[in-house]
């Protein structure tokens, strides 16, 4: 089976993890957490990095650090993972959705302002499948309407917008290091920011909000979102190879592009002038012209030993929102279309040219034999 994504753990991972075990530094203190935070945040062009337990907790921590709570609204793309809306709901705030661009599949900045009202506190662009959002346009609205910008860069390690790395562009950037992300710790996440005060609040909140002067005395509710030194040991070893992983993802995309571009019925991912896309997952849309629908293609590929995945469902209309009393007003035609037609191909950093040839040949045969 050619998997959708495998982690590549052939670097210093084992050595650093063994070091944790041999030195007894297995909890969230220890040198790897610090080294990983410093290294990765600098890579994103941010002064501060706060390692946490997942991408979902990174998003929650960011919202909590900005004191976003009940009565506040946060603007999200209609097409993203549920974590984005969950994080808003954890804080008792309300997610408000905008549709996405039909080609980048990212939040459409032109649709943001009409959703802003006096309750709106923040906007959360999500760099979907590794393509950065149009950040200048989003920042312009945020500046005009005094909103915070929280980037969800969980799929965009190393991606660039006009030469600036994803995660370091808004007020706060959030990353995931889940096993299929471009850099992994198994499970893990990080908040990055240039704002010292936000960073300080994140550090305190993630560690139960202990008072420094009076331990075990708590002014506010806190969380335990601490990443362990063992996770950070893996993360640091992965980070050492970030350039290689990003280059591999981009090479995969180029090979797919060359081999698939003339197959009718496949809409391939784009890379805008302003963007360096890291192609976390190589996603594409299947249109009628292919002569076979997405589900049939996926079933056929599976039989040929090729694993694929469907895109996210659009968030508006999902049961958890209704149960939370959120009315996702409006229509989201682009999000609904890509959710219906989108799938991604094997995309790991360890894919070989032979495997990519196999996937593309299989798609070509399916199209011919329809
Ligand atoms: C993976 C992902 C997350 C969640 O990260 P976890 O570490 O799985 O909690 C959040 N946002 C986006 C866009 C993601 O792809």
């Amino acid at each position: 089976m050619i998997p959708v994504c495998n982690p590549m753990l052939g670097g210093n991972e084992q050595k650093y993890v063994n070091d944790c075990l041999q030195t007894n530094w297995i909890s969230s203190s220890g040198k790897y957490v610090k080294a990983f935070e410093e290294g990765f945040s600098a890579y994103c062009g941010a002064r501060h990095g706060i390692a946490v337990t997942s991408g979902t907790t990174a998003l929650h921590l960011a919202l909590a650090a900005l004191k976003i709570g009940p009565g506040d609204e946060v603007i999200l793309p209609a097409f993203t993972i549920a974590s984005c809306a969950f994080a808003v709901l954890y804080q008792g705030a309300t997610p408000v959705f905008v549709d996405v661009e039909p080609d980048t599949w990212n939040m459409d900045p032109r649709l943001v302002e009409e959703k802003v009202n006096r309750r709106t506190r923040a906007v959360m662009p999500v760099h979907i499948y590794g393509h950065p959002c149009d950040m200048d346009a989003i920042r312009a609205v945020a500046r005009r309407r005094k909103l915070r910008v929280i980037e969800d860069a969980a799929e965009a390690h190393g991606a660039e917008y006009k030469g600036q790395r994803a995660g370091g562009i808004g007020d706060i950037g959030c990353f995931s290091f889940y096993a299929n992300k471009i850099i992994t710790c198994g499970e893990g996440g990080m908040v990055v920011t240039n704002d010292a005060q936000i960073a300080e609040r994140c550090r305190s909140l993630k560690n139960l909000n202990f008072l420094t002067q009076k331990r075990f005395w708590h002014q506010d509710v806190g969380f335990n979102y601490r990443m362990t030194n063992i996770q950070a040991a893996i993360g640091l070893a992965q980070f050492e190879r970030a350039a290689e992983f990003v280059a591999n993802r981009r090479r995969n995309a180029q090979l797919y592009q060359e081999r698939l571009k003339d197959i009718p019925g496949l809409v391939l991912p784009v890379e805008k002038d302003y963007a360096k896309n890291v192609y976390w997952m190589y996603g594409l849309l299947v249109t009628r012209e292919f002569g076979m629908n997405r589900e049939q293609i996926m079933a056929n590929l599976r039989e040929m030993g090729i694993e694929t995945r469907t895109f996210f469902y659009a968030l508006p209309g999902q049961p958890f929102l209704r149960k939370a009393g959120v009315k996702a007003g409006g229509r989201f035609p682009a999000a609904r279309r890509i959710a219906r037609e989108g799938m991604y191909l094997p995309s790991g950093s360890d894919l070989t040219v032979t495997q990519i040839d196999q996937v593309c040949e299989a798609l070509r045969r399916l199209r011919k034999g329809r």
Side-chain angles (χ1 to χ4, degrees):
M1 200 67 158
I2 306 178
V4 149
C5 188
N6 263 345
M8 273 178 91
L9 301 168
N12 284 321
E13 287 82 355
Q14 197 161 13
K15 181 173 143 205
Y16 293 170
V17 167
N18 279 338
D19 183 42
C20 295
L21 298 174
Q22 276 155 9
T23 57
N24 262 338
W25 287 99
I26 60 170
S27 81
S28 57
S29 313
K31 64 180 184 190
Y32 291 110
V33 176
K34 193 154 185 289
F36 186 36
E37 287 179 339
E38 286 177 359
F40 189 74
S41 59
Y43 176 78
C44 300
R47 275 193 291 280
H48 311 277
I50 301 95
V52 294
T53 49
S54 72
T56 307
T57 54
L59 291 168
H60 182 208
L61 196 64
L63 291 160
L66 294 175
K67 299 184 175 160
I68 289 171
D72 295 336
E73 294 184 359
V74 179
I75 297 178
L76 316 177
F79 181 76
T80 181
I81 195 166
S83 304
C84 303
F86 286 174
V88 175
L89 293 173
Y90 297 158
Q91 282 299 105
T94 304
V96 172
F97 298 98
V98 301
D99 205 4
V100 294
E101 299 173 327
D103 53 354
T104 65
W105 312 327
N106 281 331
M107 166 182 274
D108 188 335
R110 291 165 306 179
L111 303 177
V112 172
E113 194 146 20
E114 65 195 57
K115 300 283 175 121
V116 178
N117 61 44
R118 67 197 155 68
R119 289 184 298 277
T120 314
R121 294 281 316 283
V123 53
M124 188 188 287
V126 183
H127 308 302
I128 285 288
Y129 301 138
H131 191 292
C133 294
D134 185 354
M135 292 304 292
D136 279 352
I138 290 167
R139 274 193 306 192
V141 181
R143 207 173 308 117
R144 253 192 327 269
R145 308 300 298 262
K146 301 201 166 31
L147 310 177
R148 295 293 202 157
V149 178
I150 303 167
E151 289 179 76
D152 182 345
E155 305 180 353
H157 314 66
E160 292 174 18
Y161 174 79
K162 298 187 180 172
Q164 251 188 308
R165 288 243 166 85
I169 305 168
D171 295 293
I172 307 190
C174 298
F175 287 88
S176 165
F177 304 114
Y178 177 63
N180 70 7
K181 301 293 156 90
I182 295 181
I183 291 171
T184 183
C185 309
E187 298 278 358
M190 200 181 293
V191 174
V192 303
T193 182
N194 274 307
D195 184 318
Q197 209 185 348
I198 291 175
E200 197 39 53
R201 277 214 287 274
C202 286
R203 281 197 194 289
S204 183
L205 279 167
K206 87 161 201 188
N207 186 26
L208 301 181
N209 259 333
F210 287 110
L211 279 189
T212 18
Q213 321 83 311
K214 197 171 168 185
R215 200 176 165 77
F216 301 119
W217 190 260
H218 306 266
Q219 299 282 12
D220 292 293
V221 173
F223 318 108
N224 175 356
Y225 287 167
R226 301 183 302 255
M227 176 186 279
T228 67
N229 203 40
I230 300 173
Q231 288 169 293
I234 298 172
L236 182 67
Q238 288 270 297
F239 171 59
E240 291 169 351
R241 299 173 72 190
E244 178 192 345
F245 294 160
V246 167
N248 290 2
R249 288 320 229 248
R250 286 178 58 79
R251 185 214 58 165
N252 292 347
Q254 198 191 332
L255 294 172
Y256 274 132
Q257 165 76 21
E258 286 162 7
R259 286 157 179 70
L260 299 176
K261 64 175 190 287
D262 58 346
I263 301 184
L266 297 183
V267 180
L268 305 182
V270 298
E271 181 171 55
K272 295 282 193 178
D273 290 342
Y274 56 71
K276 176 178 177 182
N277 188 346
V278 287
Y279 301 95
W280 168 58
M281 290 295 163
Y282 192 83
L284 47 77
L285 308 182
V286 180
T287 67
R288 293 178 98 85
E289 240 193 307
F290 194 88
M292 190 184 267
N293 70 26
R294 176 184 71 174
E295 278 62 31
Q296 292 167 318
I297 295 177
M298 292 178 70
N300 276 287
L301 290 177
R302 174 157 285 280
E303 265 171 39
M304 294 186 247
I306 297 163
E307 193 181 40
T308 57
R309 291 263 193 290
T310 56
F311 275 14
F312 302 118
Y313 290 103
L315 287 180
Q318 294 213 22
F320 75 90
L321 288 169
R322 204 171 336 112
K323 289 181 190 166
V326 176
K327 287 192 272 314
R331 291 172 59 252
F332 305 93
R336 299 220 184 278
R337 176 183 171 211
I338 63 180
R340 196 171 56 239
E341 296 181 345
M343 57 182 270
Y344 48 86
L345 304 177
S347 305
S349 299
D350 63 345
L351 273 191
T352 65
V353 182
T354 316
Q355 288 175 316
I356 291 174
D357 280 338
Q358 227 176 302
V359 175
C360 297
E361 196 38 49
L363 281 165
R364 195 171 294 282
R365 276 212 308 273
L366 289 177
R367 158 72 192 178
K368 275 215 196 100
R370 80 205 142 100

